[in-house]
Amino acid sequence: MQVHRSRKRVFSGIQPTGDLHLGNYLGAIRHWVRGQGEKENFICIVDLHAITVPQDPEELRASVRRGAAMLLAAGIDPEETTLFVQSHVRAHAEGAWFFNCVTPLGWLHKMTQFKDKSARQGGKQDSIGTGLLTYPVLQAVDILLYDPDEVPVGEDQKQHIELARNVAARFNHQFGEMFVLPEARIAEVGARIMGFDDPTAKMSKSIGGRYHAVGLTDSDQEIEKTIKRAVTDSGNEIAFSDEPEKAGVNNLLTVYRMMTDKSPDECLADFADARGYGDLKKRVAEFVVEGVRPIRERYFELMDDPVELDRLLEIGAARARAVAEPKLLHVKERMGFAVPDALRG
Ligand code: ATP
Ligand code: LTN
């Protein structure tokens, strides 16, 4: 199905749990910020997804506000972007039931994130919540309720967006055309920022380790320390490379390239007379410190005014409901449910 609009519509989501890190910023948030205005953005803080692994209720409540403050601090403009919390728009949880009934179980068992996250919980069938398996179905609902043209995400989400497309196609086939098939937008550079302590693993909120990630609330000194300790290799060649043993240097150069907005050649020229990896780390740290500082400062200012944060999120939720609720009614009607007039709003 195609929808004609004057601006392309974008939908993406981010989990509120854990501290947002440089990978989230470079791989996702910065693209959302840069696309604002030109595109119609919907950005969702996915708290319902967060409870697919155990959460402390008080901590979850606090983390939703922290996530919102961080997105605003990083440049999300609530006038330009519909920024909202998933659980504030009931159509997401309700829609998940209908979509669960249409999604084949076999598709979910193939998801690598389910395999990884269930293994991290010990792999025990009797303690892992069913929601971890059906996680991608809720994600498909998130997306499909808004008929977006594009879903900008980091590399790790490719399989989930593919599933959302397949679910949309299945719905269209079974109940008649009703969903746009969304396109994953995965940037060519920075879609997979690696952990500084282990350049073979994606930088991730759920991986601990003091020197794994640069958090967006880290102090200048903490950022410098993490980057200074970044794992590299025993050589001294500063080059972009796909070789597994050069992954650490490649990751540092990628971060440098993104923080400076320079071309690969310009980046390499900057290090033409570097005296080894120490110089590389020093320069990378300088740019990351300068880039993160204003975000951190703005974040702490925003966190001082929780009433204003809640007000902005309520405006976002109202705008999101106006799109998602009629779409869900349409889904229900197509599937054979009578929709009472009172619900049509
Ligand atoms: P977890 O690893 O615990 O699942 P996460 O760090 O991937 O969490 P999410 O909230 O799941 O964080 O991701 C938010 C966005 O950031 C997604 O679009 C995701 O693809 C992107 N992203 C996450 N980690 C990276 C990374 N290391 N490099 C680039 N993009 C990333
Ligand atoms: N699974 C995603 C978060 C997410 C999302 C979405 C991303 C939930 N719903 C819809 C894009 C579109 C993640 O872990 N990053």
Side-chain angles (χ1 to χ4, degrees), residues 74-140:
I76 295 291
D77 174 352
E79 300 275 326
E80 295 284 355
T81 291
T82 299
L83 174 66
F84 71 104
V85 179
Q86 191 184 31
S87 64
H88 295 180
V89 180
R90 286 190 197 170
H92 291 247
E94 189 182 349
W97 176 254
F98 302 100
F99 281 62
N100 273 332
C101 295
V102 169
T103 308
L105 194 52
W107 291 4
L108 300 178
H109 278 297
K110 287 199 198 117
M111 297 287 118
T112 54
Q113 182 182 283
F114 173 69
K115 292 183 203 164
D116 292 349
K117 288 198 176 173
S118 52
R120 270 193 243 154
Q121 285 189 65
K124 294 200 190 74
Q125 296 280 329
D126 51 1
S127 61
I128 294 164
T130 308
L132 193 62
L133 181 66
T134 59
Y135 177 118
V137 180
L138 177 61
Q139 181 162 350

Side-chain angles (χ1 to χ4, degrees), residues 238-240 253 256 263-273:
I238 299 180
F240 289 100
L253 269 178
Y256 182 80
S263 71
D265 285 348
E266 286 169 327
C267 295
L268 294 179
D270 286 351
F271 294 108
D273 26 79

Side-chain angles (χ1 to χ4, degrees), residues 34-249:
R34 293 187 173 186
Q36 284 181 133
E38 180 205 335
K39 298 186 177 165
E40 183 191 13
N41 271 3
F42 286 82
I43 302 296
C44 182
I45 299 173
V46 295
D47 54 350
L48 298 173
H49 278 108
I51 59 166
T52 55
V53 296
Q55 300 295 341
D56 172 71
E58 273 317 311
E59 179 52 28
L60 177 63
R61 221 186 316 275
S63 73
V64 168
R65 268 211 197 108
R66 286 203 294 268
M70 190 48 92
L71 291 169
L72 295 166
I76 295 291
D77 174 352
E79 300 275 326
E80 295 284 355
T81 291
T82 299
L83 174 66
F84 71 104
V85 179
Q86 191 184 31
S87 64
H88 295 180
V89 180
R90 286 190 197 170
H92 291 247
E94 189 182 349
W97 176 254
F98 302 100
F99 281 62
N100 273 332
C101 295
V102 169
T103 308
L105 194 52
W107 291 4
L108 300 178
H109 278 297
K110 287 199 198 117
M111 297 287 118
T112 54
Q113 182 182 283
F114 173 69
K115 292 183 203 164
D116 292 349
K117 288 198 176 173
S118 52
R120 270 193 243 154
Q121 285 189 65
K124 294 200 190 74
Q125 296 280 329
D126 51 1
S127 61
I128 294 164
T130 308
L132 193 62
L133 181 66
T134 59
Y135 177 118
V137 180
L138 177 61
Q139 181 162 350
V141 177
D142 295 342
I143 299 169
L144 299 177
L145 286 176
Y146 297 83
D147 283 319
D149 304 286
E150 297 174 5
V151 185
V153 283
E155 173 82 33
D156 60 311
Q157 293 302 310
K158 207 170 164 180
Q159 200 183 25
H160 286 167
I161 313 303
E162 199 54 41
L163 183 119
R165 280 176 72 86
N166 291 337
V167 171
R170 197 172 165 90
F171 241 103
N172 286 347
H173 180 70
Q174 289 187 0
F175 301 105
E177 289 290 308
M178 63 181 316
F179 292 115
V180 170
L181 301 197
E183 297 277 350
R185 275 278 174 277
I186 298 170
E188 274 169 35
V189 184
R192 196 171 162 81
I193 301 293
M194 310 309 275
F196 286 118
D197 61 345
D198 175 5
T200 64
K202 169 188 103 87
M203 187 179 287
S204 163
K205 288 184 217 160
S206 35
I207 297 181
R210 173 63 197 85
Y211 301 108
H212 170 69
V214 164
L216 298 178
T217 52
D218 283 0
S219 67
D220 293 356
Q221 294 72 20
E222 284 169 322
I223 297 173
E224 278 161 9
K225 216 165 174 182
T226 301
I227 296 179
K228 255 190 205 139
R229 287 181 172 240
V231 169
T232 47
D233 56 80
S234 55
N236 58 8
E237 196 200 353
I238 299 180
F240 289 100
S241 166
D242 293 335
E243 298 294 319
E245 63 275 18
K246 302 296 289 180
V249 169

